[in-house]
């Protein structure tokens, strides 16, 4: 079995714990972190926005290097928490598309909800929704942290009306 565990800053620990608990000992595990290049572009754009002024010389590490270092540190923590051999992979680009591409040939993707902390569709953000809809493998979707309390079955909202 080949599994991909999508790690993010908010939910990496939960995803790693679920993978450790549920995946067989002989599973081939890839810990994945995707660096969103659009965030780097926004951060770099702030320096260019000084109207009529020349931006000061840029002596700090480039935003791309800072992002890469943070991703490597997150994956090192995830690998230590997993406690068994795993491959680590850092990808750069659009989050949702890079995750789907990383799942090519995988049997399972482990990811966490990142939306609102309540039941229903808002519990998935737009990136997770895209990945759930387009992943080329099975998906294990977990709650980061505590699971919200479920109402009793007789108190669930009614299904939407359907026109015929």
């Amino acid at each position: 079995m080949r599994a991909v565990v999508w790690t993010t800053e908010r939910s990496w620990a939960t995803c790693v714990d679920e993978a450790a608990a549920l995946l067989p000992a002989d599973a081939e595990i890839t810990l994945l972190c995707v660096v969103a290049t659009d965030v780097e572009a926004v951060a770099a754009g702030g320096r260019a926005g000084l109207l009529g002024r020349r931006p000061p010389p840029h002596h700090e590490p480039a935003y791309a290097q800072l992002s890469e270092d943070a991703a490597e540190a997150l994956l090192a923590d995830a690998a230590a928490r997993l406690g068994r051999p795993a491959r680590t992979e850092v990808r750069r680009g659009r989050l949702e598309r890079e995750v789907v591409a990383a799942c090519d040939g995988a049997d399972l993707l482990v990811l966490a909800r990142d939306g609102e902390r309540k039941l229903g569709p808002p519990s998935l953000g737009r990136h997770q929704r895209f990945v759930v809809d387009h992943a080329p493998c099975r998906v294990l979707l977990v709650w980061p942290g505590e699971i919200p309390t479920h109402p009793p079955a007789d108190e669930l909202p009614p299904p939407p009306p359907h026109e015929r």
Side-chain angles (χ1 to χ4, degrees), residues 85-109:
R87 188 173 149 272
T88 60
E89 182 177 356
V90 177
R91 287 178 166 251
R92 304 180 61 75
R94 292 184 60 145
L95 291 175
E96 66 278 9
R97 299 202 179 262
E98 291 300 325
V99 173
V100 170
C103 292
D104 188 35
D107 300 302
L108 179 71
L109 168 65

Side-chain angles (χ1 to χ4, degrees), residues 106-120:
D107 300 302
L108 179 71
L109 168 65
V110 179
L111 74 145
R113 296 171 184 269
D114 75 333
E116 297 177 27
R117 296 282 309 151
K118 64 181 185 180
L119 301 174

Side-chain angles (χ1 to χ4, degrees), residues 1-6 15 18-20 22-24 26-32 82 84-89 99 102-111 137-140:
M1 168 182 261
R2 182 171 171 249
V4 175
V5 180
W6 181 13
C15 290
E18 291 295 326
L22 298 175
L23 292 175
D26 63 343
E28 228 180 274
I29 300 173
T30 299
L31 299 171
L32 173 68
L82 183 62
R84 60 172 144 168
R87 188 173 149 272
T88 60
E89 182 177 356
V99 173
C103 292
D104 188 35
D107 300 302
L108 179 71
L109 168 65
V110 179
L111 74 145
C137 59
R138 292 179 176 173
V139 175
L140 173 61

